[in-house]
Structure formats: structure tokens, C-alpha cells
Amino acid sequence: MKIHKQQFSYQKNDKKRINNRQIKFWHKEECIMIEESVIKIVDDIMGSGKSTWAINHINQNPDKKFLCIVPLLSECERFKEKTDIDIIDPEKWGSKWKNFRWLVENDKNIVTTHSLIKMMDLDMLELLKSKNYVLMIDECLDVLDTYKISKDDLKIIFNEKLVSLDEDGFLVWNEERKPYKGVYGDIKRLCSFKSLMGFKKENSDELARIIMWNFPVDFFKCFDESYIFTYLWEGSIQKSYFDIHGIKYEKYMLDYDRQLIPHCKEIEYEKRKNIVDLINIYDGKFNKIGMKIGKSNPLSKSWYEDKRKKNRSIFSQLKNNTENYFRTVTKTKSIDNMYTVFKPYCKYVKGEGYTKGFVSCNARGTNEFKNKKSLAYLINFFMSPDIKQFVEHYHIEFDDNLFSLSALLQWIWRSQIRDGKSIDLYIPSERMRELLKIWINECKTMSEAA
């Protein structure tokens, strides 16, 4: 961070935000302005070499200290094997978090997982601020989630004035009360580093039922140099989170020589065009089950739940369709087949020829399934309604379709397409199928226009 000092006169309570990129700290007659660094978003298609660039950047800067955050433990191994520096994955010292803290305290290069970094707390934030790490995040973090609290407990913590909402929507623990030790201790802890948010209903003083867990915003202010490697950033929840909290970012990508350049849509289309011909989308009678009728959203999570209660026979139809697709259309062996469905419904849909080919719909980063050539994507993917309502409350534009497309593409890229080999794909959801076709045709149209 760049630090500037200036003399000034001020009123005691005159603490106005300068702008979204600066924070003021007040001390006697001196104002210290800390200008936040702009985070570099490397938004490039899967297989473009983002992880390789990150590893090369580490190797080319041995004098710097790196904190690398990746989706899976297997990726930790890759960073340890491919980097020339001594980079360490936290081990269990009673807990991995305890070892992580020791590594930071001792200025070690670190590679760890998304799941561990979600344990971020106030003490670690203070420690990271005193260090000079370069931050690298492979794939967007899960930065928003519904905080599970009952309606009764929600009423209690507000009616008893244990918490209140500040002007930015963060839950604040009311410290003027006597020292508190009780069932709401976790809420007190999360409030201490601004990790819970709420909002009032439109035109009402009544609190909306949603309390949202936020990954601590101050984490991203601990680093002078930061990178996030992803694809379709505009459709990510983390982009909306950054926009809500005024975190500044710039978009980059890699050119054909794998050098970092400002994001260029034309180059992205060219890279996309080299891949889309590898995707063979099934268009036939097995798609009828996913046709949209009226306001329904076939194969969405709510659709599955509704059918589980009222019409489980439709699951047999979906199972038969999928079995027939693998048996009569692709004619592939079970070892070559891969499918996904919302996990609670696997028992209703899994069938002969693909039962062992389940891959979670939110799988990212792994290359464990890169031998799979025939795929069945049996869902209609949407953002969590709670997160959607929370984001919309802040009047942030969010592209729900791009979010869904991103999830689909990430899932597809677990297969052999990551090695430049063609795949066959069954997507019965009319919505998801059309989103993929638009993504495919968009780059072809641009190429023809050029």
C-alpha cells in the first residue's frame, strides 16, 4: 500500500470517507491516507496457462513472499513441485490453522486451499497486515453465504440490542454491554472483523430475514500485489462482493506468448473459437424433459424438490433418458462417462453405465476426471436466492445467466476437453443448453464479422 501524510485541522467526529480507494486513520493532528492497491483479475479461458503464469511469476521473483490459495490439495502439490522457492502447505499442528499462523509469523511462502482461508479471523488479519505477501488466488473464493440463524434468534439479538446495523450494513456487536459469554458468541466473534451483514426491507424498519456471512473484506487490503485467476469474472459472486464493498480491480488476460496484458475481448473470442468445435451438444428427444413451460424452471434445485414430493416418477424418466443417451447415442463405456445432478437426488437418477461417473456440479480445478469423454449435465443451475436478494439490495447488476454458464463451463472442463480432445454432451435443461450455444456461437459470429 502507498502511504501519504498531510497536516490538517479537523473536528473530532469529522471522519468522512475520502473515496473508495483510500482509508483514513486519524492520529492527533496527522492524517495518514493509505491508498489501496488495485487487484489484478486474470480473466482467461480454462487451459490458457493461468496457473503456469502464476508459477513462472513466483519463480521469477524469488525475493518476494507469496501466499497462494487454490481450490484443492492436489493443486497445492503442483505449486510445491513446480516452483523453485520453498513453498509450504500447512500441516496439522493440532490444527492446520495453527500451522498456517506459524508460517505467516515466520515469513514462509505458503500454498493452501480455499477451505482453510475461509477460517480467516481478526488476529490473522492483523498479522497479515504486518507482512508483505503477494496474494495469488486460483479461482474465485466463496465470499458470500447465508448465515444460519433462526427467526427467533434473529429477533432476540436485535430486540435485546446485542447487535445493531451500521451505515454500511455490517452487524456490530454492542460493546457497551457487560462482557458477554453465551450462545451468540460466534456472532460476536464474526462481528469483530465485519463478517456479518444484514439489511432492512424496502420502505420498512423491519430487518430482512437474511443475515449474510461475508468473507472479511479487510483481507484484500493486506496486500500490495494481488492476483485472482478465473474465467467469466463478470458472472462471479466475488465480482458482486467487490462491487458492494468498493474493492478496486482491473481485468487482465494472457496473450498468445502467455504474457499478462489488459483484457481483450477479441483475443478471448479467438481463444474460445479454438475450443468450441470440440463440444458436441446432443439435440434430440431426450431433451423434452427439460423444456421450459410457462414460468417453470425444469431441472432447477426447486424443481427437483417439488418432484421429489409430488411426482418421483419423472426421476425414472430422467434416469432412462440418461442411460439411453450413453448406451445408444455415445455408445461409450462406463469408465468414459461423467454426469452431475444435485447431490441429494443422486439416488433417484443414477443408472447403469454412469453410476460411478458422478462429478459435483461445483467441481473446480481438479483434473481427476480428464479421461471422461461423454457427459450428462442434468441440472439447471441458479445462484442461491438469498445471495441474489442480498446482491440486488445493493443495486448491483448481476448476470444470472453468466453465473450459470460459468458453472457449466467449469464442470465441462473437468473432462478430456482440457487436453484438447472432443466431448459429447447431454444437457436436457433448455436454458443451460441455450446458454452454452450462445457462448459457442458468439465467438463464431465475431470471427465472421471480422
Side-chain angles (χ1 to χ4, degrees), residues 431-447:
R431 171 178 173 264
M432 297 302 299
R433 191 169 61 255
E434 289 306 310
L435 289 176
L436 182 58
K437 286 182 177 180
I438 290 170
W439 180 81
I440 289 172
N441 293 329
E442 194 174 40
C443 65
K444 293 182 176 180
T445 303
M446 286 296 295
S447 298

Side-chain angles (χ1 to χ4, degrees), residues 278 280 325-326 330-333 335-338 369-375 415-417 421-425:
L278 299 174
N280 305 310
Y325 170 73
F326 287 129
T330 65
K331 300 178 182 178
T332 42
K333 298 177 181 178
I335 196 172
D336 298 321
N337 299 336
M338 166 176 148
F369 310 101
K370 63 180 182 178
N371 64 306
K372 304 295 185 181
K373 62 175 71 171
S374 298
L375 288 58
S415 71
Q416 69 175 18
I417 196 172
K421 299 176 182 178
S422 64
I423 59 168
D424 293 303
L425 184 57

Side-chain angles (χ1 to χ4, degrees), residues 229-330:
F229 303 93
T230 188
Y231 182 53
L232 297 182
W233 167 253
E234 301 297 328
S236 71
I237 292 173
Q238 190 160 359
K239 178 194 178 295
S240 296
Y241 162 92
F242 274 16
D243 291 344
I244 289 170
H245 296 299
I247 299 173
K248 296 299 179 181
Y249 55 85
E250 295 172 346
K251 282 178 63 177
Y252 292 82
M253 68 183 306
L254 302 178
D255 64 15
Y256 288 110
D257 295 322
R258 294 191 173 179
Q259 300 297 311
L260 203 63
I261 60 171
H263 194 271
C264 174
K265 197 67 177 176
E266 287 73 20
I267 294 178
E268 194 273 328
Y269 280 140
E270 288 175 13
K271 290 185 178 184
R272 196 191 304 183
K273 191 173 184 297
N274 293 332
I275 292 168
V276 296
D277 289 338
L278 299 174
I279 304 173
N280 305 310
I281 303 173
Y282 171 77
D283 275 311
K285 62 182 181 181
F286 300 145
N287 286 333
K288 187 176 180 180
I289 194 171
M291 288 181 60
K292 185 175 177 62
I293 301 173
K295 296 182 179 180
S296 68
N297 282 304
L299 303 173
S300 65
K301 188 174 287 187
S302 59
W303 179 89
Y304 272 97
E305 182 58 18
D306 180 67
K307 300 306 179 188
R308 184 188 68 81
K309 294 176 181 178
K310 300 176 182 177
N311 183 19
R312 290 191 190 180
S313 63
I314 202 164
F315 294 151
S316 297
Q317 182 184 341
L318 182 60
K319 173 184 172 181
N320 291 337
N321 287 354
T322 310
E323 286 180 340
N324 284 327
Y325 170 73
F326 287 129
R327 187 175 64 252
T328 65
V329 178
T330 65

Side-chain angles (χ1 to χ4, degrees), residues 387-404:
I387 295 178
K388 184 176 177 64
Q389 183 181 347
F390 177 78
V391 169
E392 289 178 344
H393 170 75
Y394 288 92
H395 306 290
I396 299 295
E397 290 187 11
F398 184 82
D399 192 329
D400 210 346
N401 286 335
L402 200 58
F403 171 79
S404 302

